[in-house]
């Protein structure tokens, strides 16, 4: 079996559709949160992931969309987009988001949006990665949140290495070592590659493979403008930042 792991769809249905086209029906889908926020199609994205049976944890935008929690911590564009999202979110989808948990732990891996325990913390450097490794005993920590495809590797001796994967690529998970794998963002990449990001995780072969998928960015930008969402939400899609 194989997992397809995605994160930070952010209401971008065109990007999500392109990603799911690249995923096999037999793949088990894992979603690391932030299905909504920024983008014009929050309901359709939730419906698509629910229909696909995606095992999902909560992101900070999801929480804010459901009950307004933490809205004051978002920047202006994010907050305006979240208020719009709260206005259009169908009650049934809001209730589904509200039913999700902050983490899912399996023997082989931990799913969180940002970091273990401090769920919405950003892992941006080796020190924050070291803190994250120290907060769980999971051998593999699957995260999103920063919208940057990359990983941190922790050796038995505790040395931490870091590599970007914003153009795709492979990682072989070595016995005894631990990993933080950032799957990047489906709907709003910020690693200077505008293509949608996700990973395949094969637990039998011990591999992670980052994927990038092109999608019709201009059509999403038109939908963002039509919904009167902040222009920056459209502009950054093309830039990948
Ligand atoms: Zn996000």
């Amino acid at each position: 079996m194989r997992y397809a792991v995605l994160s930070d769809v952010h209401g971008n249905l065109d990007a999500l559709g392109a990603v799911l086209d690249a995923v096999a029906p037999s793949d088990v889908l894992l979603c690391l949160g932030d299905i909504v926020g920024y983008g014009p199609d929050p309901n359709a994205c939730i419906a698509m992931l629910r229909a696909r049976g995606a095992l999902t944890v909560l992101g900070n935008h999801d929480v804010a969309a459901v009950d307004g929690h933490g809205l004051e911590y978002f920047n202006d564009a994010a907050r305006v987009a979240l208020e719009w999202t709260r206005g259009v979110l169908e009650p049934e989808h809001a209730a589904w988001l509200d039913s999700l948990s902050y983490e899912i732990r399996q023997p082989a891996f931990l799913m969180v949006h940002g970091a273990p325990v401090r769920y919405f913390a950003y892992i941006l450097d080796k020190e924050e990665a070291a803190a994250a490794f120290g907060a769980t005993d999971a051998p593999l920590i699957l995260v999103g949140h920063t919208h940057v495809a990359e990983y941190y590797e922790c050796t038995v001796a505790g040395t931490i290495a870091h590599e970007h994967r914003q153009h795709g690529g492979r990682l072989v998970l070595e016995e005894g070592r631990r990993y933080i794998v950032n799957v990047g963002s489906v709907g709003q990449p910020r690693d200077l590659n505008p293509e949608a990001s996700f990973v395949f995780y094969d637990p039998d072969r011990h591999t992670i493979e980052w994927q990038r998928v092109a999608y019709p960015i201009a059509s999403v930008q038109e939908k963002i403008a039509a919904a009167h969402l902040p222009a920056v939400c459209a502009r950054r899609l093309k830039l990948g930042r």
Side-chain angles (χ1 to χ4, degrees):
M1 62 98 70
R2 186 174 71 164
Y3 295 100
V5 195
L6 57 85
S7 191
D8 297 275
V9 172
H10 284 298
N12 187 334
L13 182 65
D14 302 68
L16 179 60
V19 163
L20 293 185
D21 284 347
V23 169
S26 56
D27 290 327
V28 175
L29 204 58
L30 306 180
C31 174
L32 303 174
D34 275 7
I35 301 172
V36 305
Y38 298 122
D41 289 311
N43 289 305
C45 289
I46 294 173
M48 191 176 266
L49 287 166
R50 290 179 70 183
R52 192 61 176 67
L55 205 56
T56 304
V57 293
L58 279 167
N60 50 322
H61 287 252
D62 305 317
V63 172
V66 168
D67 61 8
H69 177 79
L71 265 181
E72 65 273 23
Y73 297 111
F74 289 92
N75 66 43
D76 287 348
R79 195 176 55 250
V80 168
L82 274 168
E83 273 155 4
W84 178 89
T85 301
R86 279 164 65 71
V88 299
L89 198 59
E90 287 165 19
E92 193 215 331
H93 291 323
W96 179 77
L97 283 179
D98 202 27
S99 75
L100 301 176
S101 57
Y102 289 98
E103 64 169 71
I104 292 175
R105 176 65 200 265
Q106 305 262 349
F109 61 84
L110 172 70
M111 295 166 58
V112 286
H113 183 60
V117 183
R118 295 170 62 227
Y119 299 115
F120 300 152
Y122 293 89
I123 300 174
L124 296 169
D125 56 35
K126 288 184 185 178
E127 272 113 77
E128 285 156 350
F133 282 122
T136 175
D137 63 355
L140 172 62
I141 305 162
L142 299 167
V143 302
H145 198 33
T146 63
H147 301 205
V148 174
E150 62 186 356
Y151 73 89
Y152 294 88
E153 178 185 53
C154 183
T155 65
V156 180
T159 312
I160 293 177
H162 169 236
E163 278 193 39
H164 287 283
R165 282 290 184 273
Q166 72 268 48
H167 299 294
R170 199 161 187 265
L171 167 67
V172 178
L173 306 170
E174 311 240 9
E175 187 75 44
R177 298 191 177 193
R178 299 172 67 211
Y179 297 87
I180 295 166
V181 165
N182 194 316
V183 304
S185 169
V186 169
Q188 195 195 85
R190 294 178 195 158
D191 49 15
L192 302 179
N193 179 351
E195 294 185 344
S197 181
F198 75 103
V199 310
F200 287 121
Y201 163 43
D202 187 325
D204 301 319
R205 293 188 178 141
H206 308 283
T207 56
I208 302 282
E209 283 183 43
W210 282 264
Q211 312 286 316
R212 299 304 279 233
V213 184
Y215 72 93
I217 291 174
S219 112
V220 182
Q221 291 177 317
E222 282 167 27
K223 285 194 258 180
I224 288 172
H228 303 291
L229 284 159
V232 63
C233 298
R235 219 177 308 128
R236 65 191 310 179
L237 294 180
K238 192 99 196 162
L239 306 171
R241 55 174 285 188

